[in-house]
Amino acid sequence: MDAADFVIGNLTAQIAAYQQVAATMRDGLTTLPDEERAEIEEAASILRQVRSGSTRPLLPLSVVRNAAP
């Protein structure tokens, strides 16, 4: 890669931080009672469905061409 070392180091640190957060969350889920874990998994599933089927209206875009001088 042609990126500066500090950029690669920063991105590597961010990835490691996200991995640590994910591991902490997974560990926390394993300690929950089955009922609570099922509720959390159901809520996460619903959120994923809502986010993937977003029906936000798109702005109308059109191409504007300048007339040749």
Side-chain angles (χ1 to χ4, degrees), residues 9-44:
N10 184 337
L11 292 173
T12 302
Q14 287 184 41
I15 291 167
Y18 280 113
Q19 289 172 331
Q20 182 60 42
V21 168
T24 300
M25 292 172 72
R26 276 192 296 275
D27 291 344
L29 283 172
T30 61
T31 63
L32 291 175
D34 291 341
E35 277 185 26
E36 288 183 31
R37 188 174 354 159
E39 288 177 12
I40 290 173
E41 289 173 0
E42 181 181 359

Side-chain angles (χ1 to χ4, degrees), residues 2 4 9-11 15-16 18 20 22 30 39-40 42 46-47 50-51 53 55 57-59 64 66 68:
D2 292 337
N10 184 337
L11 292 173
I15 291 167
Y18 280 113
Q20 182 60 42
T30 61
E39 288 177 12
I40 290 173
E42 181 181 359
I46 291 168
L47 283 173
V50 169
R51 288 178 180 161
T55 57
L58 300 175
L59 296 175
V64 177
N66 293 334

Side-chain angles (χ1 to χ4, degrees), residues 4 9 18 22 38 49 52 54-55:
Y18 280 113
Q49 289 172 5
S52 70
S54 177
T55 57

